[in-house]
């Protein structure tokens, strides 16, 4: 039991109190950002990023399976009944689409993980693209958690600037996404 206190032993939160909710709650739609900040608070930047990068693939695998096996067939039936078509992407365009879909801010982490498999994307491109993009986009929030505990204003400002740049460029990314959808 004492091994769990290796990371930031001054923290009153047991590591399982951070890791277990982060493992399960995003799978049911809970926002992921608070957990990323908590990972940084509890484990520091480096270990927080390691834990984030270890758990993201679990979320992706479960979401892919759930969409393809459980929810996907029902969604397709419902969409057909209401006259909505779900686009199937050609294999040659799946990776570019997946990359842009994951990069575009706006949709939540869980929604992106659940919706992308409806496009017909194969598992490994989905997993690699989701892991890379979600991991990179999560890093500033884990670092923000560490910066908050240390009250490092420079680090907080740097993270804020990264988030601002992502926000400002979201329109450019959306235009690229729309261009791919039209082709």
């Amino acid at each position: 039991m004492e091994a769990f206190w290796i990371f930031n032993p001054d923290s009153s939160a047991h590591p399982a109190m951070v890791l277990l909710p982060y493992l399960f709650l995003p799978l049911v739609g809970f926002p992921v950002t608070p957990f990323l900040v908590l990972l940084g608070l509890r484990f520091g930047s480096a270990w927080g990023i390691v834990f984030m990068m270890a758990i993201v693939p679990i979320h992706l695998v479960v979401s892919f399976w759930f969409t393809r096996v459980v929810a996907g067939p029902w969604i397709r039936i419902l969409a057909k009944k209401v006259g909505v078509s779900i686009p199937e992407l050609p294999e040659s365009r799946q990776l570019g689409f997946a990359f842009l879909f994951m990069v575009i801010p706006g949709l939540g982490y869980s929604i992106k993980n659940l919706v992308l498999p409806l496009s017909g994307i194969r598992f490994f491109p989905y997993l690699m693209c989701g892991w890379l993009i979600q991991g990179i986009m999560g890093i500033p929030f884990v670092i923000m958690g560490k910066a908050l505990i240390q009250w490092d204003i420079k680090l907080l400002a740097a993270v804020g600037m990264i988030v601002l740049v992502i926000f400002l460029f979201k329109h450019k990314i959306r235009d690229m996404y729309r261009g791919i959808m039209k082709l």
Side-chain angles (χ1 to χ4, degrees):
M1 208 55 176
E2 292 169 10
F4 282 111
W5 294 101
I6 285 176
F7 307 103
N8 194 5
D10 296 333
S11 174
S12 61
H14 191 279
M17 292 175 61
V18 175
L19 292 174
L20 289 176
Y22 174 53
L23 179 62
F24 294 108
L25 291 178
L27 292 171
V28 295
F30 197 88
V32 73
T33 305
F35 293 116
L36 299 178
V37 173
L38 285 173
L39 286 173
L41 280 168
R42 179 62 181 93
F43 300 108
S45 296
W47 280 107
I49 291 168
V50 167
F51 286 126
M52 175 194 64
M53 294 302 283
I55 292 176
V56 166
I58 296 168
H59 292 159
L60 291 166
V61 168
V62 172
S63 297
F64 189 88
W65 171 82
F66 180 78
T67 298
R68 286 288 180 92
V69 175
V70 179
W74 291 98
I75 291 170
R76 291 190 186 287
I77 291 169
L78 181 61
K80 190 173 183 175
K81 283 184 181 180
V82 297
V84 174
S85 65
I86 298 174
E88 287 282 334
L89 295 173
E91 192 169 324
S92 63
R93 310 216 25 241
Q94 289 179 354
L95 194 56
F97 175 82
F99 176 81
L100 287 175
F101 183 78
M102 287 293 194
V103 167
I104 293 175
L107 287 178
Y109 170 83
S110 301
I111 299 298
K112 288 180 182 182
N113 292 350
L114 289 167
V115 170
L116 187 56
L118 286 174
S119 71
I121 191 169
R122 290 176 294 122
F123 175 71
F124 285 110
Y126 164 81
L127 179 64
M128 291 301 118
C129 187
W131 195 5
L132 176 68
I133 300 302
Q134 301 287 18
I136 289 171
M137 291 178 69
I139 289 173
F141 296 102
V142 176
I143 293 171
M144 187 182 306
K146 179 64 174 177
L148 284 172
I149 201 166
Q150 294 178 340
W151 283 105
D152 186 341
I153 299 301
K154 290 179 185 177
L155 189 54
L156 282 171
V159 170
M161 291 301 293
I162 291 169
V163 172
L164 180 64
V165 166
I166 291 170
F167 178 77
L168 292 175
F169 283 100
K170 76 178 180 181
H171 298 293
K172 177 74 173 160
I173 294 168
R174 283 186 182 156
D175 291 342
M176 290 171 55
Y177 173 76
R178 287 186 183 120
I180 284 181
M181 287 305 293
K182 289 179 183 177
L183 294 176

